[in-house]
Amino acid sequence: MTHHDPIKYCQACGTPVVYRVPDDGDTRERAICPSCGKIHYVNPLMVVGTVPYLDDRVLLCKRAIEPRLGKWTLPAGFMEMGETMAEGAARETVEEAGADFEMGPFFSAISIPRVGQVHFFYLARLRSARFDPGSETLEARLFSEAEIPWDEIAFLTVRDTLKAYLADRALGRFGVHESAIAWSPKQ
Amino acid sequence: MTHHDPIKYCQACGTPVVYRVPDDGDTRERAICPSCGKIHYVNPLMVVGTVPYLDDRVLLCKRAIEPRLGKWTLPAGFMEMGETMAEGAARETVEEAGADFEMGPFFSAISIPRVGQVHFFYLARLRSARFDPGSETLEARLFSEAEIPWDEIAFLTVRDTLKAYLADRALGRFGVHESAIAWSPKQ
């Protein structure tokens, strides 16, 4: 789920790059082209998704792809160029679950510095319990709080977002939750 | 302020790329290497910064670099690998303003689909009115609400974040503000 492979050749002219700190006041090593001077930056990626709910149940998708094939996740994926965070989250919910829903408010933002990603979730009110999952999803189904398979959740950011959703729902008031997954040997 | 130049050569093996939709269920054209098969993704970039305040004044930095050289901005810059959003926002506040501050809560998230960026701001309580701006800043100074140079603000996301901050301050309660800058001929 990461796009962060090492850069070996200049994407502008095809020359092998060298790694050094640019002379422009930067403090980090970058892949720099010794021929055309192009500096290649590598930056964190944004994953956008939703917490789709219908009455007291939430929608989870069983992953048909690696990583975490067979585990359950909220619909989410890499944000694309030309879309807003909310548009990306809605697109992923259509692609992965084929759900009929109305987008709700921004809900969570969780940094994962170990893998260079930040995951963002919006609430989404489902209009129907019928789903039409895409090729990345084996099964899409609704879970009550008691049914959520906590040991089979694909990502820590999904677990934390689900826990925050259930806690806020119990309080009767939804906030915005910003946090980070601490660096550790396994995500 | 964008890193989104076109990809012409494979970053893994240096072969000229072709643009097509991958065969893996993707729906977008990507730069694909006809030799090694590497798919190059281009994704939105995250800019992270703060709204540094001291009593009833906010800190703005006069830009020493393009774009918007000479215009005023909140301290902010591209998020780097290996850091959380909050760590990146704090780093930029040190680099651009040399400020002494305590990080506060997450405050705003503004998508700019036209340029493939999302800008994020945290509140930051200044401990001192002394600043030591870095090379990207001509001048760092505090502004009362009446003094803010609205016609000289560098970016729409900075303007919208400042307006939200002042509105929340007047209400005596700070929320989280998520929005987007609508696509238009000028940002």
Side-chain angles (χ1 to χ4, degrees):
Chain A
M1 193 148 149
T2 174
H3 296 162
H4 290 125
D5 295 327
I7 296 164
K8 296 181 182 167
Y9 294 86
C10 176
Q11 66 180 40
C13 75
T15 303
V17 296
V18 296
Y19 279 80
R20 63 173 177 82
V21 178
D23 307 320
D24 60 1
D26 200 343
T27 58
R28 295 196 172 214
E29 239 181 32
R30 315 282 180 184
I32 301 179
C33 180
S35 174
C36 76
K38 162 92 184 157
I39 304 171
H40 301 74
Y41 297 94
V42 178
N43 296 90
L45 291 167
M46 304 175 66
V47 168
V48 287
T50 60
V51 183
Y53 63 92
L54 185 64
D55 301 325
D56 65 342
R57 293 183 295 169
V58 295
L59 174 65
L60 295 176
C61 297
K62 193 172 192 173
R63 290 175 62 81
I65 54 172
E66 293 292 355
R68 319 291 159 83
L69 192 153
K71 303 290 183 188
W72 294 90
T73 187
L74 292 164
F78 289 112
M79 183 172 165
E80 296 278 4
M81 297 296 290
E83 65 188 8
T84 66
M85 286 206 295
E87 287 167 351
R91 175 182 52 71
E92 290 288 344
T93 306
V94 170
E95 287 177 8
E96 297 196 353
D100 179 18
F101 60 97
E102 177 184 6
M103 283 293 284
F106 183 48
F107 184 68
S108 68
I110 308 176
S111 298
I112 320 168
R114 192 179 68 84
V115 295
Q117 293 183 5
V118 187
H119 293 196
F120 300 90
F121 291 91
Y122 289 74
L123 301 186
R125 192 182 62 77
L126 290 164
R127 294 196 190 96
S128 146
R130 295 211 323 218
F131 311 112
D132 180 19
S135 60
E136 298 185 7
T137 303
L138 292 171
E139 180 187 356
R141 60 163 280 212
L142 293 167
F143 291 85
S144 71
E145 181 166 1
E147 292 168 336
I148 292 175
W150 292 110
D151 293 339
E152 300 293 321
I153 298 295
F155 304 106
L156 290 181
T157 55
V158 169
R159 182 200 66 184
D160 289 358
T161 296
L162 283 171
K163 295 227 178 241
Y165 171 76
L166 295 168
D168 277 13
R169 192 180 73 181
L171 289 172
R173 176 158 163 243
F174 294 94
V176 177
H177 301 266
E178 186 268 345
S179 64
I181 303 286
W183 196 284
S184 76
K186 70 185 195 89
Q187 187 200 316
Chain B
M1 193 149 150
T2 175
H3 296 162
H4 291 125
D5 296 327
I7 296 164
K8 295 181 182 167
Y9 294 86
C10 176
Q11 67 178 39
C13 76
T15 303
V17 296
V18 296
Y19 279 81
R20 64 172 175 83
V21 178
D23 307 319
D24 60 1
D26 200 343
T27 57
R28 295 196 172 214
E29 239 181 33
R30 315 283 180 183
I32 301 179
C33 179
S35 174
C36 77
K38 162 95 184 156
I39 304 171
H40 301 74
Y41 296 93
V42 178
N43 296 88
L45 291 167
M46 304 175 65
V47 168
V48 288
T50 61
V51 183
Y53 63 91
L54 185 64
D55 301 325
D56 65 342
R57 293 183 297 169
V58 295
L59 174 64
L60 294 176
C61 298
K62 194 172 192 171
R63 289 176 62 81
I65 52 171
E66 294 290 354
R68 318 293 160 85
L69 193 153
K71 303 291 183 187
W72 293 90
T73 187
L74 291 164
F78 288 112
M79 183 172 165
E80 296 278 4
M81 297 297 288
E83 65 189 10
T84 66
M85 286 207 295
E87 287 166 351
R91 176 183 52 72
E92 289 289 344
T93 306
V94 171
E95 287 178 7
E96 298 195 352
D100 179 17
F101 60 96
E102 177 184 6
M103 283 294 283
F106 183 47
F107 184 67
S108 68
I110 309 176
S111 298
I112 321 168
R114 192 178 68 84
V115 296
Q117 294 182 6
V118 186
H119 292 194
F120 300 90
F121 291 91
Y122 290 73
L123 301 186
R125 192 182 62 77
L126 291 164
R127 294 196 190 97
S128 147
R130 295 210 324 218
F131 310 111
D132 180 19
S135 60
E136 298 185 6
T137 303
L138 293 171
E139 180 187 356
R141 61 163 279 212
L142 293 167
F143 290 85
S144 70
E145 182 167 0
E147 292 168 336
I148 292 174
W150 292 109
D151 294 340
E152 300 293 320
I153 299 295
F155 304 105
L156 290 181
T157 55
V158 169
R159 182 200 65 184
D160 289 358
T161 295
L162 282 171
K163 297 230 179 238
Y165 171 76
L166 296 168
D168 277 13
R169 192 178 73 181
L171 289 172
R173 176 160 160 241
F174 294 95
V176 177
H177 302 266
E178 186 269 344
S179 63
I181 304 285
W183 196 286
S184 75
K186 70 185 195 88
Q187 188 200 322

